[in-house]
Amino acid sequence: QVQLVESGGGLVQAGGSLRLSCAASGRTFSRYAMGWFRQAPGKEREFVAAISWSGGSTYADSLKGRFTISRDNAKNMVYLQMNSLKPEDTAVYYCACKYGALGSYRELRYDYWGQGTQVTVSS
């Protein structure tokens, strides 16, 4: 069993930055791939970024260059640095983990999810 707790969301003006954090329980964090997803009001949840055991990362094409995912296995933490934020980035952001080395853009591949943290970008 893994528990995930997101933090770092909030209200920010367009063009600003936020760093989301996800704290994971469990002793084998380094064996999980991690992902970030988001869900905007009235829309389906969508893939944001994923990171493998070893730190290899993948991103939604539309977010490349603005968002950066990283992890600290010693602290059981995964992060999402979000820069040049836009109003359309407003969403609840979820952290997720999956067994195995590689991350995935597919929700169904993930085994555990956090409760989410709200990010609101004002224009």
Side-chain angles (χ1 to χ4, degrees), residues 2-110:
V2 176
Q3 291 186 329
L4 302 172
V5 179
E6 303 96 335
S7 61
L11 174 64
V12 63
Q13 289 188 335
S17 298
L18 280 176
R19 188 176 83 152
L20 305 183
S21 299
C22 175
S25 65
R27 299 180 180 179
T28 57
F29 174 75
S30 62
R31 295 186 176 271
Y32 293 100
M34 303 296 296
W36 285 96
F37 291 76
R38 69 184 185 182
Q39 187 168 20
K43 296 187 177 181
E44 293 185 350
R45 191 154 56 184
E46 64 176 0
F47 171 71
V48 174
I51 189 165
S52 69
W53 287 356
S54 59
S57 57
T58 59
Y59 297 90
D61 287 342
S62 62
L63 301 177
K64 287 180 181 177
R66 293 196 299 123
F67 287 17
T68 303
I69 189 171
S70 61
R71 66 188 296 163
D72 185 335
N73 289 339
K75 296 182 179 180
N76 283 16
M77 296 291 294
V78 64
Y79 305 99
L80 184 68
Q81 178 67 43
M82 305 185 295
N83 298 326
S84 302
L85 283 162
K86 304 175 181 180
E88 51 264 42
D89 294 319
T90 295
V92 177
Y93 284 72
Y94 297 91
C95 173
C97 73
K98 62 178 290 291
Y99 295 110
L102 299 178
S104 173
Y105 64 92
R106 296 181 179 180
E107 283 188 54
L108 292 179
R109 296 287 178 89
Y110 288 82

